[in-house]
Amino acid sequence: MSVKLIEPHVDSVPQHGISTPLTRFNDPLADTEASAAATARPPITSRAGWDANEGLPETPGYGTEVKAVFVHPSGGTNDYSCADSPTIVKGIQTYHTTDPDHMWNDIGFNFLVDKCGTIYEGRAGGIDRPVTGFHTPGFNTDSVGVALLGDMGSGKPTPAALESLARLAAWKLSPYEGDPQGTTVMTATASNGKHEAGEQVTLPVIAAARDAMPASTPDENLAAKLPSVRFYAASPAASSAIPTADYNRDGITDLAVGTPQSPVNTRTEAGAITVVPGSTSGPNASAKLIVSQNSTGVPGSAEAGDEFGTDSAYGDLNADGYADLVLGAPGEDDTSGHTDNGYVVALYGPGLDTGVGYNLSAADLVNGARLGDAVTVSDFNSDGKADIFAIAPGTPTSWWVYDSGSTATTSGRLLTSTTGTVTHPDATSGDFDKDGYADVAITYLDPDGTGRVMLFKGSATGLQPNGLLGSSGGRTIASGDINGDDITDIVVGQPYTAESGAHSGGQVTAFYGSSSGITTASATTLHQDSDGVPGAAEAGDAMGAAVSVGDYNLDGYADLLTGLPNEDITRDSVARTNAGATLLLPGSSSGLTGTGSLAINQDTTDISGATESDDRFGSAVTLTDLRGTAQPDIAIGADGENSGDGTVLQIDIDATGVVFTSGLYYGPGTLGLPAASHIGQTLAP
């Protein structure tokens, strides 16, 4: 069904709400619908969240079941911020109820999904009921109509939108045992130009609107992706927690700047983290939230050497739709007299002012365990709530998982341990074998300095050890679909030659996911002597000291942003030692490539500021959407800037590429942190 995307100007966007079923309608079928679907319900923004006109709906009509899900493009532009999605949805309601060709009594679609993956309740009547909509003439009853916001002819649906669509479809079909990969027979109730009234039609259970009616809005790019949507909807992933880094649920990812060396009052290296909410113009420092262990509601108290914020990760731990923030404090001393035993803190959105602290079990408390040196968050058992994975790299090194919902401070489950102390651990998560469960990959240095990659496999019973990858590891790791095959890959940063036989100046190595998980086959290694990579490899550059993965040009292949914080840069015949730089390396159908790569440093044209010795630009990097465009932006840490004050440079990316003139710095003054905080040591997501 063709709809016009109406975008009235507004000065503010209503806060998203979490939907609960409407009760003001007398639904005679309410008791006949299954009460507990096997597939978990994804977070859904209620009609109140987009300020629906509730004076319009009349008593809704209902079918008896959900036999099919019809997927439509809304039409209009793809160039919108997800912060404006509520206004766009309200505009569609206005159009559906006032346009002479429609004049319906409410919005026609049952649900709408924006490009960031936020699901909106559409037509009134109850999200868990078989409400009859106005979306697919002849087949409105016993079906669900879902619109993806935007143009799906010249534009493409985003992975986030497709995953949310799959989750929504699986949940709506589950009470009726609908097979997302199957077909269904429906009888047309009216002639629609493609099928005649009374005609029996066999349709995919998850169907493009064009399957049932004449296509009036281009949707070829959406229709082409429906096979992968059906596969996802039929897998355990359909019940998994939706990945999110939006703690205030305004539609935009929020940047977390960890400063574990920051003093808190007089307590040196107590550590803090500054959360800078995203906005349509980028991270909004005026709305920053500084969190330490002295903050209200944060478990524990700030003490010298706690290193709170050494690592951090976002995820929805309690399935309320708000991102929660997990932080490590590896220098925390426990109450039994063990020094540097470590601590993991989970803070719940939207306030990040309540949470739970996690320790090791009593039998595992030792000096120097350093729990929380590295953390990652994902839904390892696909139960709809994200779980926490944490590393304690001390002696003995141990790997822990904390299942979602647990409030017991020693509730961690020991996965495995090794003798000796490992160093420089890092962790990432993703579905590396496309079985519907999130897995974990970690990298670290053995006691002898050898780099390793260890894998853990998700399952219905949670995370399980899965052995070592038969290849060298490094100090950093990130994940994403680099070769565009819909299976998550990993990239390992190997910044120093001695650790992994790395190339002089450091390197990055991509290992690709497959039906059997991460493999060493066809691994790709790039360094500054590789074809197409800018610069030249020099000992000590530390390429790979930071890595982040995201599809910056929206070509369907995830790209890599990597830091070289020890890169020397010469300007005006003067060498600035350890000034630092970053490289943006493209993904492709054959994997990571140097072709088309881009170097970024503080002397790059149109970037304000200038390189200086020991800035360490590239000490941390993130390639993630910070403006709600569904296109990643860049944030780069320089933890040595101004003699260790540190800073973060954020740069927008749009359809033209990297917009260097947009660069903004976030230093101690902007972030409200004291001097010598080493801002830019860690970034999340």
Side-chain angles (χ1 to χ4, degrees), residues 14 23 62 65 77 96 101 148 202 258 264 310 342 378 467 492 515 552 600 615 644 681 683 685:
T23 58
Y62 295 93
E65 60 181 322
T77 181
H96 282 186
D101 291 334
L148 267 60
T202 300
V264 176
T310 291
S378 200
V492 177
S515 59
Y552 92 94
I600 304 171
D615 279 351
Q681 184 174 341
L683 295 170

Side-chain angles (χ1 to χ4, degrees), residues 266-409:
T266 60
R267 298 168 179 83
T268 59
E269 296 189 7
I273 193 162
T274 304
V275 179
V276 190
S279 74
T280 55
S281 56
N284 180 11
S286 66
K288 64 183 177 293
L289 180 64
I290 302 173
V291 179
S292 74
Q293 285 187 286
N294 280 358
S295 300
T296 300
V298 177
S301 59
E303 299 168 319
D306 281 350
E307 301 173 66
F308 183 79
T310 291
D311 200 12
S312 58
Y314 281 110
D316 187 358
L317 302 174
N318 53 7
D320 65 353
Y322 294 89
D324 308 309
L325 183 61
V326 174
L327 307 103
E332 179 89 5
D333 299 338
D334 67 33
T335 57
S336 302
H338 300 98
T339 60
D340 296 341
N341 188 66
Y343 199 44
V344 172
V345 174
L347 299 176
Y348 299 114
L352 302 183
D353 53 2
T354 60
V356 178
Y358 298 105
N359 299 308
L360 298 176
S361 63
D364 296 290
L365 297 175
V366 293
N367 293 327
R370 294 186 61 82
L371 176 70
D373 232 354
V375 296
T376 190
V377 174
S378 200
D379 187 354
F380 307 127
N381 56 2
S382 288
D383 68 349
K385 297 180 181 180
D387 310 301
I388 301 168
F389 174 87
I391 299 175
T395 303
T397 297
S398 52
W399 331 102
W400 294 81
V401 64
Y402 296 85
D403 294 329
S404 55
S406 174
T407 58
T409 58

Side-chain angles (χ1 to χ4, degrees), residues 516-567:
S516 57
I518 296 293
T519 72
T520 58
S522 304
T524 306
T525 296
L526 294 178
H527 42 71
Q528 283 188 289
D529 287 338
S530 298
D531 290 344
V533 178
E538 299 168 318
D541 285 347
M543 177 179 173
V547 289
S548 182
V549 174
D551 184 3
Y552 92 94
N553 54 7
L554 300 182
D555 65 353
Y557 305 105
D559 312 298
L560 173 69
L561 180 65
T562 185
L564 302 83
N566 296 344
E567 175 93 346

